[in-house]
Amino acid sequence: MIIALAGGVGGARLAHGLARALPPGELTVVVNTGDDFTHLGLNICPDPDTVMYTLAGLADPERGWGVEGETFNAMEALGQLGGENWFSLGDRDLATHIERTRRLALGEPLSTIMADFCARLGIQHGVIPMSDDPIRTIVHTAEGDLPFQDYFVRHRCAPAIARLSFKGTGDASPSPALNDLMQSDRVRGVVICPSNPFLSIDPILAVPGVRPWLQGRKFPCIAISPLIGGKAVKGPAAKIMAELQLDAKPRAIALHYQGLIDGLVIDQEDSADAFGQCLVTSTLMRNMADRERLAREALSYLESLRIV
Ligand code: GDP
Ligand code: CA
């Protein structure tokens, strides 16, 4: 079993490549739920849904989130009624939130709902939330402490980040499927996807037990840098690094994951900044072929680091 740790867009793109490169049953994608929130009375899980739609081939390739060919009639009608429409939810996407909210209200855990949705959408690999317990990313800024979606969508990532915290981790457990994998000797390696290290991967590492499990690993673990030429492909990763007084370079990513990874995959544009344990290749995933090629290269690299 290969385990991929992923957030939304960047994570989903590589997870899609891994899903093509590995036979069914040999990949589990563990997804960040720190961005989850309740909105309009609905439980919204942005990163799990992005991974689900992407692996199902339903994702909008341009936007990166939501469903391709989506319409927004409900949002438009909501706006007409004076409702809250700052967080855009497509008509088809709403069905996911409505059905998930109904099942959660009946007491079903998020992971079994996700597993069922994924199976119904034809996904043959595991997609599991990091935890079934609510964990919420809080962005601490000069303008106060902001819930993640307030920072990300309402404020468009403008406030400078002083630090991040993950509310709820104290009482949280890994989801049962993740817990099983952490106990088993079936794990051949872990791939940290090119997701935002601070907003997407750190919440997963903050789930009790996950960081010590990786620190004590008997299998290799690699990360793929989300930065290309000192810039994020999308989103605030480089901006956050500047705010945290970090250089937006491969070494800072490697330092961030110190003790957790055995190698870092970096883009050819950053080859001048390569160091000891690096694989230099093209990491920009514009299309399906890019995703699959990068996934296969990452898997070979991972295999080459197997501790003998
Ligand atoms: P979010 O939850 O939607 O923000 O998704 P992630 O955290 O998974 O992904 C955001 C990160 O993905 C950003 O830091 C991007 O730089 C990175 N990213 C997106 N597409 C690519 C790509 O094609 N290649 C690489 N290397 N990184 C990417
Ligand atoms: Ca996200």
Side-chain angles (χ1 to χ4, degrees):
M1 181 68 77
I2 298 293
I3 299 182
L5 309 185
V9 177
R13 286 180 177 153
L14 186 71
H16 200 191
L18 290 168
R20 293 284 193 102
L22 291 164
E26 288 189 25
L27 171 70
T28 300
V29 188
V30 177
V31 191
N32 170 44
T33 57
D35 301 357
D36 293 10
F37 70 129
T38 307
H39 185 57
L40 306 172
L42 300 171
N43 295 86
I44 319 266
C45 304
D47 289 358
D49 287 351
T50 296
V51 172
M52 177 175 80
Y53 293 145
T54 302
L55 294 200
L58 296 173
D60 187 294
E62 297 301 312
R63 273 199 318 262
W65 54 269
V67 177
E68 186 169 21
E70 185 63 287
T71 53
F72 291 87
N73 296 312
M75 276 294 122
E76 213 181 291
L78 189 65
Q80 251 171 9
L81 297 175
E84 268 193 66
N85 60 357
W86 60 273
F87 193 86
S88 207
L89 296 167
D91 296 330
R92 297 189 70 81
D93 188 34
L94 272 167
T96 304
H97 312 312
I98 291 169
E99 179 60 4
R100 174 171 41 223
T101 303
R102 182 187 73 79
R103 289 170 67 165
L104 284 169
L106 293 174
E108 202 178 329
L110 179 62
S111 43
T112 62
I113 301 171
M114 286 301 302
D116 186 39
F117 284 3
C118 287
R120 285 171 189 271
L121 294 179
I123 298 171
Q124 294 183 303
H125 299 279
V127 177
I128 62 176
M130 62 191 196
S131 177
D132 283 335
D133 303 314
I135 294 175
R136 300 290 172 261
T137 297
I138 307 290
V139 185
H140 302 267
T141 77
E143 293 160 44
D145 299 347
L146 302 171
F148 177 76
Q149 298 298 346
D150 266 28
Y151 163 79
F152 200 73
V153 180
R154 216 197 279 258
H155 292 275
R156 293 170 199 277
C157 308
I161 291 188
R163 69 184 177 91
L164 292 153
S165 64
F166 309 108
K167 202 170 119 196
T169 42
D171 306 315
S173 308
S175 56
L178 174 56
N179 210 36
D180 285 352
L181 286 169
M182 284 165 49
Q183 316 279 326
S184 86
D185 52 13
R186 285 166 47 233
V187 180
R188 273 171 50 217
V190 171
V191 176
I192 301 180
C193 289
S195 289
N196 187 311
F198 310 93
L199 294 173
S200 295
I201 302 298
D202 279 359
I204 304 177
L205 299 174
V207 175
V210 173
R211 187 179 282 275
W213 166 67
L214 278 181
Q215 281 167 333
R217 69 192 173 282
K218 294 199 174 64
F219 46 79
C221 176
I222 60 169
I224 290 83
S225 173
L227 303 174
I228 299 183
K231 295 195 195 85
V233 178
K234 185 188 157 280
K239 177 177 179 283
I240 294 173
M241 290 180 84
E243 290 160 4
L244 297 177
Q245 254 99 70
L246 298 170
D247 229 3
K249 295 225 159 133
R251 195 172 284 279
I253 302 289
L255 270 177
H256 186 76
Y257 292 135
Q258 195 168 31
L260 304 175
I261 59 168
D262 305 297
L264 183 69
V265 180
I266 68 171
D267 193 79
Q268 55 204 15
E269 251 189 65
D270 297 303
S271 57
D273 296 308
F275 53 93
Q277 213 41 274
C278 270
L279 173 73
V280 182
T281 184
S282 168
T283 68
L284 185 62
M285 294 172 281
R286 281 154 307 198
N287 50 41
M288 195 57 236
D290 288 343
R291 295 175 187 187
E292 195 168 335
R293 182 201 35 81
L294 181 58
R296 288 188 191 280
E297 287 185 42
L299 288 171
S300 315
Y301 182 46
L302 186 71
E303 198 63 38
S304 76
L305 297 172
R306 184 170 301 285
I307 307 140
V308 275

